[in-house]
Amino acid sequence: MNRTKVFFCFFSIFMMIVGACNVANGQKDLALNRPYTLSVAPNYANTAPGNDKSVLTDGIFTSGYFWNSKQTAGWQKVNRVDIEIDLGKSLDFDQVTFNTARRQQASVYYPTNVFVFVSDDKSAYKYVGDVIANGDNGPGDYKVQNFQLNAGLVRARYVKLVAIVQGLLLFCDEIQIFKTGSGASPKMTFSSKPLEDQVNELLHKDVSNKVDMARNLQYQSAVGPIGSNNKMASGVAFASQLRQQLGTDFTVNFFNAWDEMSAVYKPVKRTSDNVNVKTVINGHSFVGFIVTNLSQGKANYTIDVSDAQRVNTLTLYTVPFLTSHMNYQQTADPLQVADKQLTLDAGESRLFLAEVKGKEAGSGKNSIVVSNGKTNQTISINVSVTNLRFDEGKFALNANVWAYLYYPMLNTRKPAAVKDLYEHHINTAVIPPNALGDMQHNSGSSLSNYLSAFGNYKPGTLLLYMNFISQENLNYCKKNDFLSDQWKADFRIWYQNLSKVATQSGWNMQNVYVYPYDEITEKDVDKLIAFAKWAKSAIPGIKLYMTLGKLSKNTISQLNQYMDVMQVYEDYVTTLSTTADKSWVYNTKGNAELLSPYNYYRLMSWKAFANGYKGVGFWAYADSKDASFNNILKTRYFAASTNYAAVYVDGDNIVSSRRWEGFMMGIEDYELLQLYAKKVGTAKAKALAASVVGTPGDASQADAARDKMITALSE
């Protein structure tokens, strides 16, 4: 057989397969080769390029690994993608498909929703259904799934799919539209309500339904089916069963402040009304407790707090549940100052955190009384404050959380943000490129304005982030080539101007670092080393900082010669041979609201001490890609999948979280470990840190070790 015949045979078979894929019940795919528009261009490197306008309707299904194919469209770090297909004219159809893939191990999930709207004029739209609203939409191993919406017969020219991304990634290789049944063309009535309003209503309804279903399943698990017809359990049934067991209309149970909490909490009979807390002057401790309504309906409670004013202050926070974009999981996270009044539905629980801060050495008793008007339940917090003081601004551990003050969450809340950062022991500030100015036209005014925002809450260390990964920043004004004689002359002047501004603003240049590359890769190492060699020889006293992930042993060895601080991605701490006493550690994970306040945030400082590192950090204090971040505390729902923020906002105020307080506690733990090491020796202190790090599933270990250290330091 000659090559022409072989090719013709292969092509014929291929076209038969493609044709078969584009026919349903004998009907052709109406979307085949039709043009479409995207709200966000594909931006995943291994799939179709950003300018592609055909892969979603070309009739070709991906062969091989889904997100390594140019036949697949891929998006990363986006919350939503709108895809609008133009059928050319109004047509009848009743089926829409969306072919996508998942792999939980790689953090790839099916989208949360793919809402389908139709229109004849791209102005008025009618909602017809959710393509992926079925039982197959769940996490799991690698799987390609062609989701299918079987709607009633509709007639329209434009078909708009609104894909709500779950996690950080979305992939699709084909969208198809069929008319599989028969019948007369329907008369369509399109909604006058704006499309965005329709999408928001659908999202909130879907969230509410799925949250209710998840909670009822938890009630079911806790008490079993109700009655002979196996009716789904409810909060009322849950409360009734527990009231019979515990003999009370409500309970108040102690709860570890850092533990995960499910929406349905099953209380037990409290064995003690007291908890003992050890702390130091200006040190913090948190005591958690949960109030659960076991009555048969909604109930109101009053909460009265009295603190031992001489030795400590006590602030009570309520910790409401938020619903994450990730599979609608719920998490008890934001810390809102508690009202004296509380209302709970039958079976509902609410977590509270009592923040205790030491004022002066001594002992005191704090009381919290919860009442439903008939019965009072009291818990006591016995506080012992040792004669040891934390001095704000003088903590041993360097803490960097990339808190860019121009970010949307902070831009109008700078005073509240810098105060909050200071009070949580953050002693390092990254100055972004736009506050540094370019080298040729820089007077230092941008930096001066940026630094002025810190006022009396100055971080001790500044990192001047130049970001040479950006070609524009690398060449500065695209006039002088990187490391040319003129570039070097410009850099000297630039650095001198910024040094003068930093010094006049109250900073010691010993604590100011140039930050040329972030998460450097092997391809940029030679540039960094060339810059570092020149800078170290030409500019006396200059200090260099960088972040890094997985690099070769030889590269790390070279960088160790020139870098003054290297902040290492946490996954590589145990494998990279960096110099410990000039190394910091950091991590960066999305869907931050679901991360453990203990394992991810608090234990980072313990890991740093155990490995001899001198700094910690995470991306990022206030990076929320959720456009509705102003309303999260009202809607209790994260609409975005790429939240990294550790705090929330309410008006002009910064609202803390369990995660943010956990990170602060870790910095204080490190301070105690430093003091403990001086008393008992570094080896014993590191062994204690290793024991805490080695049992991450027990969130009580850090507090127990903290008590042990305070006791030893008090002797």
Side-chain angles (χ1 to χ4, degrees):
M1 187 180 292
N2 62 38
R3 290 184 179 180
T4 303
K5 290 183 178 179
V6 170
F7 174 78
F8 180 77
C9 181
F10 171 79
F11 183 75
S12 298
I13 294 171
F14 174 76
M15 291 307 294
M16 288 173 63
I17 294 172
V18 171
C21 291
N22 288 280
V23 174
N25 289 354
Q27 301 297 319
K28 290 185 177 181
D29 175 13
L30 302 178
L32 184 61
N33 295 323
R34 295 305 308 167
Y36 56 85
T37 57
L38 299 170
S39 62
V40 183
N43 61 0
Y44 189 77
N46 297 332
T47 56
N51 60 359
D52 180 85
K53 296 296 173 83
S54 64
V55 297
L56 296 180
T57 59
D58 63 4
I60 302 174
F61 285 78
T62 296
S63 175
Y65 214 47
F66 206 74
W67 38 83
N68 281 337
S69 170
K70 297 301 181 182
Q71 284 301 131
T72 300
W75 294 266
Q76 61 181 343
K77 295 185 179 179
V78 299
N79 303 319
R80 165 180 159 181
V81 178
D82 293 7
I83 306 161
E84 187 158 47
I85 302 171
D86 182 359
L87 299 181
K89 60 181 179 180
S90 292
L91 297 172
D92 296 345
F93 57 91
D94 56 13
Q95 186 181 95
V96 179
T97 72
F98 187 90
N99 202 51
T100 184
R102 74 174 186 207
R103 185 170 182 246
Q104 187 174 5
Q105 300 95 317
S107 298
V108 182
Y109 304 89
Y110 298 140
T112 303
N113 310 90
V114 178
F115 299 125
V116 179
F117 296 87
V118 296
S119 174
D120 263 342
D121 59 5
K122 301 180 71 171
S123 175
Y125 287 87
K126 177 182 176 64
Y127 173 65
V128 296
D130 186 345
V131 179
I132 61 171
N134 66 50
D136 291 324
N137 188 4
D141 295 335
Y142 179 75
K143 184 180 181 182
V144 177
Q145 179 76 32
N146 194 31
F147 288 95
Q148 192 176 97
L149 169 66
N150 294 310
L153 194 63
V154 297
R155 182 176 180 83
R157 173 175 175 175
Y158 299 99
V159 181
K160 187 161 193 166
L161 293 86
V162 178
I164 308 299
V165 183
Q166 183 172 190
L168 301 177
L169 298 160
L170 170 68
F171 298 99
C172 179
D173 75 339
E174 199 67 20
I175 297 169
Q176 298 175 301
I177 301 171
F178 298 104
K179 181 186 179 186
T180 63
S182 60
S185 297
K187 184 177 180 180
M188 299 295 296
T189 302
F190 299 103
S191 175
S192 60
K193 188 175 293 185
L195 179 71
E196 287 304 307
D197 290 351
Q198 293 188 62
V199 171
N200 288 334
E201 287 179 6
L202 287 166
L203 273 175
H204 290 140
K205 182 179 180 180
D206 194 43
V207 170
S208 179
N209 289 341
K210 289 180 178 175
V211 166
D212 288 345
M213 182 180 296
R215 187 169 57 246
N216 287 337
L217 287 172
Q218 290 183 54
Y219 284 137
Q220 182 93 344
S221 176
V223 303
I226 305 300
S228 58
N229 61 353
N230 290 334
K231 183 181 178 182
M232 181 70 77
S234 65
V236 172
F238 175 77
S240 177
Q241 185 178 97
L242 286 167
R243 187 181 184 284
Q244 292 177 34
Q245 295 174 7
L246 301 176
T248 179
D249 285 335
F250 72 97
T251 61
V252 181
N253 285 104
F254 286 118
F255 187 83
N256 187 291
W258 316 112
D259 271 339
E260 293 183 13
M261 181 185 171
S262 63
V264 173
Y265 171 76
K266 194 171 184 178
V268 296
K269 189 173 182 64
R270 197 165 74 240
T271 57
S272 173
D273 294 331
N274 298 277
V275 64
N276 299 318
V277 170
K278 293 180 181 179
T279 191
V280 304
I281 300 170
N282 293 334
H284 296 79
S285 289
F286 288 85
V287 175
F289 66 92
I290 294 175
V291 180
T292 305
N293 176 17
L294 302 183
S295 68
Q296 294 298 286
K298 193 182 295 290
N300 299 316
Y301 305 89
T302 59
I303 302 176
D304 291 319
V305 178
S306 62
D307 61 23
Q309 295 181 7
R310 184 180 66 82
V311 299
N312 72 265
T313 60
L314 188 150
T315 305
L316 187 64
Y317 296 97
T318 181
V319 191
F321 280 100
L322 300 181
T323 301
S324 172
H325 183 88
M326 275 296 289
N327 203 26
Y328 298 141
Q329 297 173 70
Q330 288 200 285
T331 177
D333 191 49
L335 269 59
Q336 296 182 276
V337 175
D339 293 329
K340 291 186 177 181
Q341 305 293 324
L342 171 68
T343 301
L344 296 175
D345 291 327
E348 183 182 0
S349 297
R350 177 67 60 82
L351 173 64
F352 291 84
L353 292 191
E355 177 191 36
V356 176
K357 184 176 181 181
K359 288 175 62 177
E360 64 176 71
S363 299
K365 184 175 182 179
N366 305 263
S367 297
I368 299 173
V369 181
V370 182
S371 174
N372 66 353
K374 297 181 294 184
T375 306
N376 296 342
Q377 293 195 38
T378 303
I379 62 172
S380 297
I381 304 173
N382 302 316
V383 177
S384 174
V385 181
T386 194
N387 193 21
L388 184 70
R389 180 184 296 274
F390 286 155
D391 290 328
E392 196 63 75
K394 296 182 180 180
F395 282 83
L397 186 63
N398 297 290
N400 170 31
V401 292
W402 285 270
Y404 295 146
L405 298 180
Y406 70 88
Y407 266 25
M409 285 184 72
L410 306 184
N411 191 40
T412 60
R413 304 176 179 89
K414 292 175 185 175
V418 297
K419 182 174 185 289
D420 184 62
L421 290 161
Y422 183 85
E423 291 176 346
H424 285 78
H425 318 320
I426 307 305
N427 63 2
T428 301
V430 179
I431 311 303
N434 62 0
L436 299 178
D438 69 70
M439 291 196 299
Q440 290 187 323
H441 307 94
N442 178 53
S443 65
S445 59
S446 295
L447 177 61
S448 180
N449 290 336
Y450 193 92
L451 294 180
S452 67
F454 289 103
N456 295 324
Y457 301 108
K458 288 181 168 64
T461 299
L462 299 180
L463 308 178
L464 308 180
Y465 181 31
M466 306 178 71
N467 190 22
F468 283 162
I469 291 177
S470 161
Q471 191 64 34
E472 184 174 354
N473 287 0
L474 186 66
N475 291 328
Y476 277 103
C477 301
K478 302 180 180 178
K479 181 176 181 181
N480 299 316
D481 292 337
F482 180 59
L483 288 185
S484 67
D485 289 343
Q486 185 60 54
W487 190 96
K488 291 175 181 177
D490 288 342
F491 185 90
R492 285 173 182 268
I493 296 171
W494 175 88
Y495 184 75
Q496 289 170 2
N497 287 342
L498 297 189
S499 298
K500 186 183 297 184
V501 169
T503 302
Q504 291 174 346
S505 300
W507 272 270
N508 185 334
M509 288 304 293
Q510 288 294 310
N511 299 319
V512 178
Y513 296 75
V514 171
Y515 176 5
Y517 283 93
D518 183 63
E519 296 186 341
I520 194 168
T521 58
E522 293 282 356
K523 69 181 179 65
D524 289 316
V525 167
D526 288 344
K527 292 178 185 176
L528 174 57
I529 291 176
F531 168 74
K533 282 182 178 180
W534 169 77
K536 287 285 187 176
S537 64
I539 305 175
I542 192 171
K543 291 192 168 185
L544 302 179
Y545 162 98
M546 65 177 292
T547 57
L548 74 158
K550 190 175 184 180
L551 295 174
S552 69
K553 185 176 181 179
N554 181 58
T555 297
I556 297 295
S557 177
Q558 293 181 68
L559 291 171
N560 272 330
Q561 299 177 52
Y562 303 104
M563 294 298 112
D564 296 282
V565 172
M566 293 193 290
Q567 194 152 6
V568 182
Y569 189 66
E570 188 173 331
D571 286 359
Y572 303 117
V573 165
T574 58
T575 61
L576 294 182
S577 54
T578 55
T579 304
D581 64 359
K582 65 177 182 181
S583 295
W584 302 359
V585 62
Y586 79 104
N587 211 329
T588 171
K589 289 185 179 178
N591 305 113
E593 69 279 1
L594 296 176
L595 297 173
S596 167
Y598 186 73
N599 292 348
Y600 186 81
Y601 290 94
R602 186 170 181 181
L603 287 190
M604 186 180 291
S605 297
W606 291 81
K607 294 172 186 175
F609 186 87
N611 288 280
Y613 281 29
K614 304 302 181 185
V616 293
F618 62 87
W619 180 271
Y621 172 69
D623 180 12
S624 178
K625 299 296 191 295
D626 193 331
S628 62
F629 63 80
N630 280 309
N631 296 315
I632 286 173
L633 295 178
K634 297 180 179 67
T635 63
R636 303 284 170 85
Y637 171 59
F638 275 94
S641 58
T642 49
N643 173 58
Y644 296 94
V647 294
Y648 304 90
V649 295
D650 183 14
D652 293 332
N653 301 315
I654 301 294
V655 176
S656 188
S657 68
R658 283 207 293 161
R659 295 171 293 120
W660 186 224
E661 299 304 322
F663 189 73
M664 179 197 70
M665 290 293 288
I667 296 171
E668 293 189 2
D669 296 339
Y670 188 99
E671 190 76 9
L672 290 171
L673 283 162
Q674 290 278 102
L675 297 171
Y676 187 65
K678 290 178 182 178
K679 181 155 188 172
V680 304
T682 300
K684 287 186 177 180
K686 282 193 172 184
L688 179 62
S691 69
V692 172
V693 172
T695 52
D698 184 354
S700 69
Q701 288 297 304
D703 284 335
R706 188 183 178 104
D707 285 354
K708 179 179 180 178
M709 291 188 289
I710 291 174
T711 299
L713 293 168
S714 303
E715 295 172 348

